[in-house]
Amino acid sequence: MSATSDFRRAFVLAAALWPAFVGSAAGQIQWTDENLDQQVFNRGGGPVRNAASARKELDRSLLLIIQEIDRVCKLTEAQKKKLQLAGRGDIKRFFDQYEVVKQKFQRLKPRLQGDNWQEAWQELWQDISPLQMNLQSGLFHEDSLLRKSLRHTLTTEQLPRYQAQAEERRRFHHRATIELAINSFEEAMPLRDAQRQELIALLLKELKPPRKSGRYEVYIVNVQMSLLPDDKLKPMFDRAQWKMVRAYLDMYKGNVQWLKQSGQWPDDDDDVDAPPADAKPAAKRAN
Amino acid sequence: MSCIRARMFFAVAAFALLPYLAVPAADSMPAQDAPRKVVEKPEQKAADKKPASPDKAAQPAKSISIVVVPAKAAKPAEKKAAAPAKKAPPAPEKPADQNEAFAQQFEGQFGKQFQHLYRTELHLLRVVCKLTKPQYQKVAAEGEPALKATKQKFLDTWRNQQQGKWDRSGKGQADPRETLSAELEKALQKTLTPEQAAAYKKERDLRTAAQRRAVVKTLIVMMDRHLVLSAEQRDKLHEILDKNWNDSWYTYVVRFGGYYFPAMPDAKILPILNEDQKAIWNGIPKANIFYGFNGLYGLVGDIGEFEETWDDDVPAKPVQPTPEKKADKKSKQPSNKAEKK
């Protein structure tokens, strides 16, 4: 079974559960714009967000990111404006995609209210899902316009400072994810502390952080761990443990393709903050 | 294996819809979303949980309601009398039967998972306490009450959930392994030597500390994704979360893969945030997912049974090998160096 068909099944499940949370009365599912917003802007319950409130929050997030870069790099007003422009481009790109889905939703509404609504829902879900995932993993990830523009906006003095700060943050996140993944693993197979520390050290050395943050980070750690050669992992477990470890990791094998397709898999040459070959002189970029 | 992967992806999809499936915390649960009361037998649940097709959905539902089985006072004497009443006309359900049915359903659904939990924890105990095979067998037998007590705790939680009595204090989200190891420590007080007990206690403490470290770091990462914290803020936050540690955070954070926020000590957190960060932080939902107990970590049941191995273990079906095969087999036998470690 391919990862694609696995996900098709997941979509079917989502479709099956859909009527449970869209309002329904007297056998008729109520499909409203709020239902769509609830799906796209969902962030784990709480007050339902809509496009306007999500936009406001994204603006604030952009502001916080620029503030943080400014704290480290002491940006000029021109640089701040450039970064704001790039960040707004990311937000616009997201809302453009949302508008496309919204239009599709309007087009599909008659079908969604008909007997074969599952089919229409599945069609819609394929567009909602990446949108939802994008928002949840954050718009200002390594491939965003904002991050890419940094290379052309910061001076040669500022860029290393930003890189050091970004690297420190990435390492902190990566370590936390690895420790969390090991804790999850220990629900299946407890480790001695010495083993735990050895495993953390190995994973920190061998695994790369994902390209996008979000809810699949632990999953990505497990998939990467499943691809490590046995001779790196096996020596740290005893015979009985190793059998469990291998069985556990084997469940994660074969999901690389999907992670690559969704842009989450860390690339081999993952150094997005590296200065471009055509770097402009510092003074020019600062203005 | 492909079946396992499919199950995993089902779990991912269900996870994505979790906010709608979970019970909202008390403070965020509007009156109109209160659980509907539906009288049903436990064995009917699986069928009733299937989503209704649009044309069959008769009741308005703003969110998924939790099915409630009304609890009736248990009368142990009725337990046996009710059993042979197979041919009798349908009578009102006997409460004792219901409890028994719950216990059986729980055992059927989660019994294997708890066995796995127990066996793997015993293995840790064996390694940490350097138990010999006879000692291990004694410990395994005398530790059974700990397994029973752990199962009983989670059965109680699970039954209450099935009956709509959700404990929103966070106790229902306890870590099963921690519960089991605490019970084991109690049950084995007289079985283990003081040195062995101390060694196991030390290992448990180290595990708890590691869990706590991972959870605190994950919570900081979760906040950092939203609030773009400075290194100084992260350090302060570490201190705050460590000092205001809440046991329910572990399951919350590990179960939800570091995505949903538990209840956080906002009174301590807000003073270290700037105004923009505060605005975002106040808008983030917290503690509005309640998972309760729904089995052990989703994958435990799929990785096969844990088998304790000993150096003197005899293969289950010994084949009479030829002298040549014998030599070959010897060379292929896994090294037991790690085992001795």
Side-chain angles (χ1 to χ4, degrees), chain A residues 1-3 5-7 9 250-251 253-255, chain B residues 1-10 302:
Chain A
M1 191 191 300
S2 70
S5 68
D6 287 333
F7 269 87
R9 279 162 187 260
D250 282 346
M251 291 188 301
K253 271 186 170 175
N255 292 310
Chain B
M1 199 54 70
S2 60
C3 167
I4 293 166
R5 258 188 18 232
R7 274 198 222 168
M8 228 154 63
F9 281 106
F10 267 78
D302 293 329

Side-chain angles (χ1 to χ4, degrees), chain B residues 28 37 58 81 175 274 284 314 331:
Chain B
S28 64
K37 291 201 172 186
D175 171 18
N274 68 31
I284 294 172
V314 183
S331 67

Side-chain angles (χ1 to χ4, degrees), chain A residues 1 27 43 46 117 169 193, chain B residues 5 9 54 203 224-225 283 288:
Chain A
M1 191 191 300
R43 55 170 180 187
W117 63 272
R169 186 184 300 275
D193 194 58
Chain B
R5 258 188 18 232
F9 281 106
E203 204 60 54
D224 191 37
R225 281 187 203 132
N288 63 332

Side-chain angles (χ1 to χ4, degrees), chain A residues 144-207:
Chain A
S144 65
L145 296 173
L146 174 70
R147 300 286 175 191
K148 282 179 176 170
S149 75
L150 282 169
R151 288 183 280 173
H152 305 282
T153 309
L154 300 183
T155 65
T156 43
E157 290 79 38
Q158 289 171 321
L159 195 60
R161 288 210 296 272
Y162 163 74
Q163 283 172 332
Q165 181 231 32
E167 184 54 32
E168 188 272 328
R169 186 184 300 275
R170 205 179 356 213
R171 248 187 277 130
F172 182 82
H173 284 214
H174 193 43
R175 187 181 176 104
T177 311
I178 284 174
E179 288 187 26
L180 187 65
I182 292 174
N183 269 285
S184 298
F185 167 73
E186 284 199 59
E187 290 204 359
M189 184 72 242
L191 304 174
R192 283 176 293 117
D193 194 58
Q195 288 179 308
R196 188 180 299 121
Q197 299 312 326
E198 201 182 340
L199 188 57
I200 291 173
L202 176 80
L203 300 186
L204 278 171
K205 191 179 152 205
E206 299 287 337
L207 308 190

Side-chain angles (χ1 to χ4, degrees), chain B residues 120-195:
Chain B
T120 51
E121 193 62 24
L122 282 180
H123 181 74
L124 181 76
L125 224 147
R126 172 196 162 183
V127 175
V128 169
C129 302
K130 300 183 174 65
L131 301 175
T132 61
K133 192 172 182 178
Q135 282 174 328
Y136 171 85
Q137 283 163 342
K138 190 168 185 252
V139 162
E142 290 179 11
E144 283 287 339
L147 172 63
K148 205 176 162 189
T150 306
K151 278 207 264 189
Q152 189 59 48
K153 276 186 187 171
F154 284 91
L155 166 63
D156 292 344
T157 306
W158 182 76
R159 188 180 43 228
N160 285 339
Q161 284 169 202
Q162 301 297 306
Q163 293 173 333
K165 293 181 243 163
W166 290 74
D167 173 9
R168 294 185 176 86
S169 66
K171 284 177 192 164
Q173 314 209 79
D175 171 18
R177 190 171 290 284
E178 172 53 28
T179 310
L180 173 69
S181 61
E183 289 291 339
L184 263 175
E185 210 172 89
K186 269 192 274 172
L188 299 175
Q189 264 173 353
K190 289 176 186 169
T191 317
L192 299 177
T193 65
E195 293 76 28

Side-chain angles (χ1 to χ4, degrees), chain B residues 73 75 135 182 189 192 194 211 251 268 271 283 297-298 300 305 340:
Chain B
K75 287 181 185 173
Q135 282 174 328
Q189 264 173 353
L192 299 177
Q211 288 175 341
T251 310
K268 304 272 169 34
Y297 184 49
V300 166
E305 266 181 39
K340 282 175 183 168

